[in-house]
Amino acid sequence: MSRDKKRQLIWYQIDDTETIAHHLEKMAAKGWLLEEADNWWYTYRRAKPAQVRYTATFFPDASVFDAGPTAGQETYIDYCRAAGWELAAVYGPIQYFRSTRPDPVPIETDEAVKLAAVRRTMRKTFVFSYALLLLLPAVNLPLMWKQFQWDPLDFLCSNSKLATVALMTGIIIFVAGMLLDYLIWVLRSRYSVAHGGTCRRPHTRFRMWFNAGMLALCAAVLLGYFMNLAGLRATLMIYLVIYGGIMLLSRWVLRRLKRSGASRGDIRGLFIVFAIVAGLVVGFATPFLFARLAGAGIIYKDREPAESYTYTSRDFSFTRGIYRDKLPLTLEDLGYTVTEDDHCSYRAEISRSPLAVHSEYTQEAMNLDSDLPRLYYQTYDSRWSWMLEKCWEELTRAEEDDPWPMRELTPAPWGAEEACRREGLTSYFLLYPDRIVTFSLGEDASPRQLDVIIQALQP
């Protein structure tokens, strides 16, 4: 913006007309006159500081897809001009007027008509948009629940997944609170008008705090996403750029369509076509873009291994990374002889969240000719016993036609509260007061090895 132009984010709800008018009057006293308004911004132009009166009114028959004021709006504007009010800006059904007269004649004198206009406008804008916003949690929360059921240990230790659940829950609370606040305002205003009074003032402070809380939650969610791996941070930035660009492009397209002077129906139809095409392009192009970026190692990149090993046979060859992380339990501890020719990798992946810590450990030989078994185990730690119990239920749930059914074991020898083994596999599941342990050795463990495992992994 130039030095003679200024933009401000719109923080007020459109039915809070008195607060909006007071804000615009303060800006005029500072030398900024309202020139344009939309659903995001107020645009001002520089002027001499002056005492200017503002008011906001509603014309429900107008639309954001109108290229200009409708015939009815023009008549309305002419009446207001005759009463000393100049049109400052208009955005769909919302009109902003100003007057330099010290005490201009009020535009709206019939409170019942005013209330009806506000309600019709709010149904088309506020209520409709918030109802659409509820589609986000309606779609995402069931998906989150399925992910939790699939792998509860990973889910509760993932900051990004917990942040998504918090955001979806926050959206539900936010929308419910805002709609309830508006409903209370409508009921109180209807009662007041029916008894000869005026429309009640909205709860401006409550709305501001509620919006601030939602913004703080969004910031916390972004922080939760960024706390993941560096590759996921790059992915998040790409998503923000793509969808931020689409939102800005949609604003530009709508403005261009309105400047063309086309009819409301044509502008609405063309904008819907643009939205569909943009959605399809993003839907098909984004996976392709991410696949290319992943192939180039820009996103979804793993942490660098300590070294690389290339296995070569007569039929094929491959290169894999070898990690040298410190593990609480190794094949050496279990009595296996590990040599340099095995090219063993020791890998530890630990994810933390405010709810739990999930540790995943793997030791395996990269040399396919090695006779060493693959050692894999996990620990899940949480102070919330109900959470551990829920995870235990999901991990040990019996499925119909399961080729490897779960069999309960006597927990006492393991020093655990509960113990299970999956038949047909060498996978064990142990529940302790503050920890769940799962491990697999790739072959049956001896009593001595099981004792070593218990001593190393129990809390």
Side-chain angles (χ1 to χ4, degrees):
M1 301 297 290
S2 68
R3 297 180 63 181
D4 293 328
K5 297 281 187 179
K6 182 176 183 176
R7 279 183 177 172
Q8 275 187 337
L9 277 171
I10 298 176
W11 295 102
Y12 308 108
Q13 200 165 286
I14 59 174
D15 63 329
D16 200 353
T17 54
E18 292 186 35
T19 302
I20 290 172
H22 181 65
H23 173 75
L24 297 177
E25 288 166 3
K26 288 174 60 178
M27 293 299 296
K30 296 177 182 179
W32 294 103
L33 290 179
L34 181 66
E35 186 175 65
E36 190 177 352
D38 59 21
N39 59 331
W40 286 6
W41 308 94
Y42 287 137
T43 303
Y44 303 92
R45 60 178 171 84
R46 188 181 292 277
K48 292 182 178 180
Q51 296 297 318
V52 179
R53 294 290 303 276
Y54 275 92
T55 188
T57 64
F58 301 93
F59 196 85
D61 292 331
S63 168
V64 294
F65 297 108
D66 290 330
T70 65
Q73 270 183 301
E74 290 179 343
T75 301
Y76 186 88
I77 293 168
D78 288 339
Y79 280 126
C80 293
R81 186 181 296 113
W85 292 96
E86 170 196 4
L87 181 68
V90 60
Y91 182 68
I94 311 161
Q95 303 164 131
Y96 302 86
F97 292 93
R98 61 171 165 255
S99 175
T100 55
R101 297 180 182 180
D103 193 17
V105 177
I107 293 177
E108 296 173 314
T109 56
D110 190 327
E111 290 295 317
V113 173
K114 176 183 176 180
L115 178 59
V118 172
R119 293 183 62 191
R120 286 184 60 195
T121 302
M122 292 293 281
R123 282 197 297 267
K124 292 172 60 176
T125 55
F126 173 82
V127 176
F128 179 71
S129 61
Y130 277 106
L132 286 179
L133 185 59
L134 285 176
L135 291 177
L136 277 174
V139 171
N140 280 278
L141 287 179
L143 294 176
M144 291 290 101
W145 176 246
K146 287 186 178 296
Q147 290 183 27
F148 171 76
Q149 290 181 308
W150 177 257
D151 192 344
L153 299 181
D154 174 74
F155 188 94
L156 292 175
C157 296
S158 169
N159 285 298
S160 61
K161 292 175 182 176
L162 291 177
T164 301
V165 172
L167 178 61
M168 295 302 110
T169 305
I171 288 175
I172 293 174
I173 296 173
F174 175 74
V175 172
M178 295 298 282
L179 290 177
L180 180 60
D181 173 71
Y182 171 66
L183 175 61
I184 292 172
W185 177 84
V186 169
L187 294 176
R188 295 178 69 213
S189 295
R190 285 178 60 183
Y191 180 84
S192 177
V193 171
H195 289 77
T198 61
C199 293
R200 304 300 298 265
R201 291 197 62 174
H203 304 124
T204 305
R205 192 178 299 274
F206 167 80
R207 294 175 177 181
M208 295 288 284
W209 279 108
F210 222 50
N211 278 285
M214 191 63 200
L215 288 175
L217 177 61
C218 290
V221 167
L222 285 176
L223 179 62
Y225 289 149
F226 274 97
M227 286 173 65
N228 273 318
L229 299 176
L232 293 181
R233 296 174 195 167
T235 305
L236 175 61
M237 292 303 300
I238 293 171
Y239 268 118
L240 291 176
V241 170
I242 290 175
Y243 288 101
I246 289 295
M247 292 179 67
L248 293 175
L249 180 61
S250 65
R251 284 167 52 83
W252 181 84
V253 168
L254 181 58
R255 291 170 69 93
R256 295 291 297 180
L257 289 174
K258 292 170 71 170
R259 289 175 181 174
S260 69
S263 66
R264 177 193 297 183
D266 290 342
I267 293 174
R268 180 192 290 114
L270 290 172
F271 188 77
I272 291 174
V273 170
F274 159 77
I276 294 173
V277 171
L280 292 174
V281 170
V282 171
F284 284 103
T286 302
F288 174 77
L289 172 64
F290 278 20
R292 295 294 298 270
L293 293 176
I298 298 175
I299 62 174
Y300 302 130
K301 56 185 178 183
D302 205 350
R303 62 187 175 96
E304 293 294 327
E307 59 184 273
S308 297
Y309 167 71
T310 301
Y311 174 83
T312 303
S313 69
R314 185 170 55 185
D315 301 320
F316 64 91
S317 67
F318 64 85
T319 300
R320 296 182 67 182
I322 294 179
Y323 295 85
R324 300 297 185 190
D325 301 333
K326 186 177 180 180
L327 306 185
L329 175 70
T330 64
L331 290 173
E332 291 89 333
D333 297 331
L334 299 178
Y336 291 94
T337 301
V338 179
T339 67
E340 291 186 2
D341 292 337
D342 295 312
H343 296 282
C344 246
S345 175
Y346 303 76
R347 182 164 184 172
E349 297 293 343
I350 300 176
S351 55
R352 302 175 183 273
S353 78
L355 298 181
V357 179
H358 179 204
S359 304
E360 191 173 8
Y361 304 99
T362 308
Q363 182 182 356
E364 58 185 327
M366 298 294 104
N367 184 354
L368 296 186
D369 297 326
S370 172
D371 294 327
L372 290 175
R374 179 177 184 268
L375 175 62
Y376 175 76
Y377 53 99
Q378 303 178 79
T379 61
Y380 173 83
D381 298 274
S382 177
R383 295 173 298 174
W384 308 93
S385 58
W386 64 268
M387 194 176 298
L388 284 174
E389 292 171 1
K390 180 61 180 177
C391 290
W392 180 259
E393 291 175 5
E394 297 295 338
L395 283 171
T396 59
R397 176 186 295 175
E399 301 288 347
E400 293 184 7
D401 302 324
D402 191 341
W404 301 290
M406 194 72 70
R407 178 170 64 90
E408 291 188 10
L409 302 175
T410 303
W414 306 87
E417 293 183 344
E418 294 186 52
C420 293
R421 174 178 174 171
R422 192 170 288 281
E423 291 288 356
L425 300 175
T426 53
S427 298
Y428 294 84
F429 302 82
L430 308 174
L431 174 64
Y432 295 95
D434 297 318
R435 171 176 289 183
I436 291 176
V437 174
T438 73
F439 69 88
S440 174
L441 186 57
E443 60 184 32
D444 286 323
S446 67
R448 189 197 70 81
Q449 289 175 329
L450 291 178
D451 184 63
V452 172
I453 292 172
I454 295 169
Q455 294 300 320
L457 301 185
Q458 71 178 352

